[in-house]
Amino acid sequence: MKIKRRHPLTIIEIMIVIFIISIVGGVMSYNMKGSLVKGRVFKSEAASKEAYDILSLEMASGSTLERVLSNPESVLKESGLVKNPKKILEDGWGKKFQLLQTEDDDFILYSKEWTQYLIKDKKMKPKEIQEEYPWAYNRKVVNEAEATS
């Protein structure tokens, strides 16, 4: 009876496999970076819109603008519409939205990172930001963000 010898993997074959795996991993991580930024932008947009809608609803129900601006977390909690008020008041980068009063006795939810992304990366003009995100647009704030980017 003839015994077959097994051929073990050579070091060159192992190195080639490791090299291929590292290239595939590098390509995947590079593509994932763009997805993470898109996720942050989506979270910022959705959270700001939802928080604005609920806070506006509470103002229509009797809460004052001063109360909403001074303690939005408790207003959201008392509304009963939000499970986690702290999370909804954070942008995609994990920073709290700033609630700023506008000239027409309303408010906006401002995120420096999100605004800079819209101006710098999406190349949006202030008029486009105002039309698409009126709950997050303030001319003074957008002009400051344009100056810093």
Side-chain angles (χ1 to χ4, degrees), residues 40 43-44 86-87 89-97 111 113:
R40 288 181 178 141
K43 197 247 187 242
S44 298
K86 285 184 181 180
K87 280 290 191 193
L89 290 172
E90 288 182 356
D91 65 8
W93 288 263
K95 297 185 179 167
K96 282 193 160 221
F97 285 110
S111 165
E113 287 76 12

Side-chain angles (χ1 to χ4, degrees), residues 16-34 36:
I16 290 172
V17 168
I18 291 173
F19 177 73
I20 291 171
I21 289 172
S22 64
I23 287 179
V24 169
V27 168
M28 286 176 58
S29 65
Y30 179 77
N31 289 336
M32 216 169 145
K33 182 181 176 191
L36 291 174

Side-chain angles (χ1 to χ4, degrees), residues 2-6:
K2 198 173 186 180
I3 299 177
K4 287 187 177 181
R5 295 189 74 202
R6 295 174 65 187

Side-chain angles (χ1 to χ4, degrees), residues 74-92:
S74 69
V75 174
L76 288 171
K77 193 175 210 175
E78 290 170 9
S79 75
L81 299 171
V82 179
K83 187 174 182 179
N84 191 346
K86 285 184 181 180
K87 280 290 191 193
I88 201 171
L89 290 172
E90 288 182 356
D91 65 8

Side-chain angles (χ1 to χ4, degrees), residues 49-61:
K49 179 64 176 152
E50 186 176 357
Y52 179 81
D53 288 345
I54 294 170
L55 291 172
S56 294
L57 183 65
E58 288 301 306
M59 282 180 52
S61 299

